Amino acid sequence: MLPLWEMLLYLLLSFGFHFYSFYEVYKVSREYEEELEREFELEKDTLFWGLKKDSTDFEWSFWMEWGKERIIWLQLGHLMVSQMSRLFMEKYKPWCLMAYGMVACWFLLGINGLAVILLHVAISFSVAQFQTAVLTWLCSLLLLSTLRVPAVEEAKRGWYDTENEYYLLLFTLTVRCLYYTSFSLEYCWHGSTQKRNHSFFWMLAYMFYYPVFHNGPIMTFNEFTKQMKRQEACSLKSNLCILLLGIVRIFFWWWLAELMIHLMYIHAIYSSSSHLEAVSYWTLGGLALAQVLFFYVKYLVLFGIPALIIQMDGLKPPALPRCVSTMHSFTGMWRYIYIPMGGSHGSVFGMLFSTAITFSFVSYWHGGHNYLWFWAALNWLGVIAENGVKRLLSVSLVQDLIDRFFSPRSCRRFHAALAAVSTSMLILSNLVFLGGNQVGKIYWNRIFVEGWPWATLSVLGFLYCYSHVGIEWDHTHRVD
């Protein structure tokens, strides 16, 4: 729709803003290196020319440690069992994989961890027999709440020698909650003729499917069973190509994530309010971009490994996360919530209520901390505001005025201008999620209060370019 030269200009400016702001973060990381090392104990590493590593991102350090020690080997064990059962006993493949998942669970989490997961599964399955969605949600919330009872936490810690083992159980139970909720809701929604596909054994096969066992990604029960019953036939040569290309791709993502935390001490600087308040506006913007992009690359690795194994199993894996630099709206970010809840086609009250309930569950599922409620509220308000603007622009009178006075190219530029404002709030909400309320407050004060008007307008100008790139991406990769 826009001239090619204009789109190339926006693309060039977007890349330029990214790389220059990252360079500013790199310079600040070198400048504050000694202070940050004293405060956060940066790791000495020989991986990237002797540069020190910012290891303060707990999630990355936690999963890399578990992955190298045990989980990656158990994933390879699953792959071997899957391929052997496909060759010699395909009819029993789901049950072979279920048994392997249970053994792997017992190996990593012990008999107590396996027993707790089976208890949660049995309770959820029993409540699903009432075929009431409200009861299913209440059951899931109740089981989730038991993970935060101090006495229960202490009892579970006593089962293990290290804190990391307890956290592995906690994260596994949290992810399993989404899985038994999916099974139970679909049990409620399906008619009696389909109930034979929702047996307790199929629930166990779904719950103990090992590639997604500890950290996801999320597959619905319906998708899992449909694909498991009619798997795609692949030749050995095709499977080897998929495996080798997948390994190369994941290694590149891992290398990129490691490079980022060696060159830029993003998380350490975010943990120090004094440094965050002292850096320049370019550095502040670069830190925000680096933080959200590292989160994106991190999950390309964490979800990419199980996705590759799922593909080797003959199933279609869930889509990997989309690059956050091409996101330009709350409804785009939360499409998997917003569309199932009715999107812009449902009633206003229904959309307000259902999205509020869903964001509340997402916030509680992540831990229910104060900053998560604030993050959920920001996202909910963002979805509501965008929906309101779309409804206003869809009114026939407004649509006629737009068609009469504005060309398609003008509408596209106006769309990007609105998207720039939306993207600024989307990034702010993500910074609250990743860094907490204090980080969000510092950004709000420095960019939108102290920085008004020049810093604010400059940020919106940069995001205007990003929005054009994101809108063009949507048009090119439109999903019906």
Side-chain angles (χ1 to χ4, degrees):
M1 188 182 292
L2 292 179
L4 179 60
W5 69 265
E6 187 175 349
M7 276 310 306
L8 289 174
L9 176 64
Y10 293 138
L11 187 63
L12 182 64
L13 288 172
S14 296
F15 276 111
F17 297 148
H18 275 76
F19 287 120
Y20 182 74
S21 62
F22 289 166
Y23 173 66
E24 289 293 319
V25 176
Y26 168 77
K27 287 200 304 182
V28 166
S29 298
R30 304 281 76 77
E31 182 184 342
Y32 292 140
E33 185 171 0
E34 289 185 7
E35 296 174 43
L36 294 171
E37 185 174 12
R38 284 195 299 270
E39 192 172 353
F40 301 105
E41 298 181 355
L42 302 175
E43 284 186 13
K44 293 180 180 178
D45 201 337
T46 57
L47 187 60
F48 293 100
W49 314 288
L51 289 171
K52 291 171 184 172
K53 173 182 173 180
D54 178 5
S55 57
T56 52
D57 184 85
F58 170 77
E59 193 174 31
W60 180 252
S61 301
F62 177 86
W63 289 115
M64 287 302 102
E65 183 181 336
W66 272 107
K68 290 171 189 174
E69 287 182 3
R70 296 183 186 177
I71 290 178
I72 194 67
W73 306 110
L74 290 171
Q75 296 279 21
L76 289 173
H78 167 94
L79 190 56
M80 289 177 63
V81 170
S82 174
Q83 297 305 311
M84 294 296 287
S85 58
R86 173 185 282 187
L87 288 172
F88 301 111
M89 51 179 104
E90 184 147 9
K91 184 179 177 182
Y92 302 102
K93 182 179 175 181
W95 320 121
C96 293
L97 296 181
M98 177 189 76
Y100 179 84
M102 287 182 167
V103 171
C105 175
W106 168 77
F107 177 72
L108 274 188
L109 301 175
I111 192 66
N112 290 326
L114 176 60
V116 169
I117 293 171
L118 285 171
L119 177 63
H120 281 214
V121 171
I123 291 171
S124 182
F125 182 80
S126 301
V127 172
Q129 304 310 301
F130 292 99
Q131 299 183 36
T132 306
V134 173
L135 282 179
T136 289
W137 280 112
L138 289 174
C139 174
S140 296
L141 286 170
L142 181 63
L143 291 172
L144 199 58
S145 68
T146 62
L147 305 182
R148 296 171 191 131
V149 176
V152 176
E153 286 182 329
E154 286 305 310
K156 289 174 182 173
R157 278 188 167 94
W159 298 343
Y160 302 108
D161 297 326
T162 65
E163 194 77 354
N164 268 6
E165 290 175 295
Y166 163 72
Y167 278 124
L168 183 63
L169 173 64
L170 181 65
F171 296 154
T172 304
L173 282 168
T174 304
V175 173
R176 292 304 91 202
C177 174
L178 297 180
Y179 274 74
Y180 56 67
T181 302
S182 172
F183 170 87
S184 299
L185 286 175
E186 290 181 15
Y187 188 91
C188 296
W189 295 334
H190 285 83
S192 56
T193 56
Q194 296 172 299
K195 287 291 188 284
R196 67 179 183 275
N197 298 325
H198 293 71
S199 68
F200 186 65
F201 284 106
W202 268 111
M203 185 183 190
L204 288 176
Y206 174 60
M207 291 296 300
F208 286 95
Y209 183 62
Y210 194 71
V212 297
F213 187 69
H214 297 292
N215 194 39
I218 308 304
M219 295 178 71
T220 66
F221 176 76
N222 197 33
E223 283 300 311
F224 174 79
T225 50
K226 277 198 301 188
Q227 293 186 59
M228 191 60 81
K229 288 174 180 178
R230 59 164 201 272
Q231 296 176 38
E232 298 176 5
C234 292
S235 65
L236 180 62
K237 184 179 177 181
S238 175
N239 268 346
L240 279 175
C241 288
I242 291 170
L243 182 62
L244 290 174
L245 286 173
I247 289 172
V248 170
R249 190 166 58 245
I250 291 164
F251 179 79
F252 172 75
W253 293 331
W254 170 83
W255 178 86
L256 184 58
E258 286 287 327
L259 180 65
M260 288 180 75
I261 56 178
H262 278 80
L263 292 177
M264 301 180 286
Y265 303 146
I266 315 159
H267 306 97
I269 295 172
Y270 265 115
S271 301
S272 174
S273 297
S274 58
H275 288 123
L276 202 55
E277 289 174 339
V279 297
S280 68
Y281 285 116
W282 271 109
T283 307
L284 201 64
L287 283 166
L289 287 172
Q291 176 83 316
V292 295
L293 283 171
F294 177 79
F295 185 77
Y296 161 67
V297 175
K298 173 171 66 178
Y299 270 92
L300 286 180
V301 176
L302 297 182
F303 285 174
I305 294 170
L308 175 59
I309 295 172
I310 291 168
Q311 197 172 1
M312 293 295 293
D313 283 346
L315 311 180
K316 182 181 178 182
L320 292 174
R322 173 176 160 179
C323 180
V324 290
S325 292
T326 64
M327 299 299 298
H328 56 89
S329 70
F330 284 93
T331 48
M333 173 69 83
W334 293 106
R335 194 173 187 276
Y336 66 92
I337 284 178
Y338 180 66
I339 300 300
M341 293 296 112
S344 59
H345 302 293
S347 68
V348 174
F349 177 77
M351 187 268 295
L352 288 171
F353 178 75
S354 57
T355 50
I357 292 296
T358 309
F359 278 121
S360 298
F361 178 79
V362 172
S363 177
Y364 188 69
W365 183 82
H366 276 97
H369 305 292
N370 286 337
Y371 73 92
L372 290 170
W373 294 112
F374 185 57
W375 163 78
L378 279 174
N379 280 278
W380 180 70
L381 290 171
V383 169
I384 299 308
E386 288 180 3
N387 178 260
V389 171
K390 286 177 183 176
R391 285 176 183 267
L392 176 64
L393 294 177
S394 66
V395 173
S396 57
L397 177 62
V398 176
Q399 195 66 55
D400 290 342
L401 290 172
I402 291 172
D403 292 340
R404 182 178 300 178
F405 295 107
F406 296 97
S407 67
R409 288 181 177 177
S410 298
C411 290
R412 165 66 180 269
R413 295 182 184 111
F414 182 63
H415 180 192
L418 289 177
V421 177
S422 186
T423 305
S424 68
M425 294 297 103
L426 181 62
I427 292 173
L428 182 65
S429 74
N430 285 335
L431 292 176
V432 169
F433 178 78
L434 297 171
N437 285 335
Q438 184 61 25
V439 168
K441 195 179 294 183
I442 290 171
Y443 269 87
W444 176 261
N445 287 334
R446 292 206 58 193
I447 301 295
F448 297 100
V449 179
E450 298 168 10
W452 176 262
W454 302 117
T456 309
L457 294 177
S458 297
V459 166
L460 292 175
F462 301 153
L463 295 179
Y464 175 77
C465 297
Y466 299 166
S467 296
H468 272 295
V469 174
I471 293 167
E472 191 64 29
W473 177 278
D474 281 348
H475 287 166
T476 307
H477 301 84
R478 189 177 297 279
V479 179
D480 294 325

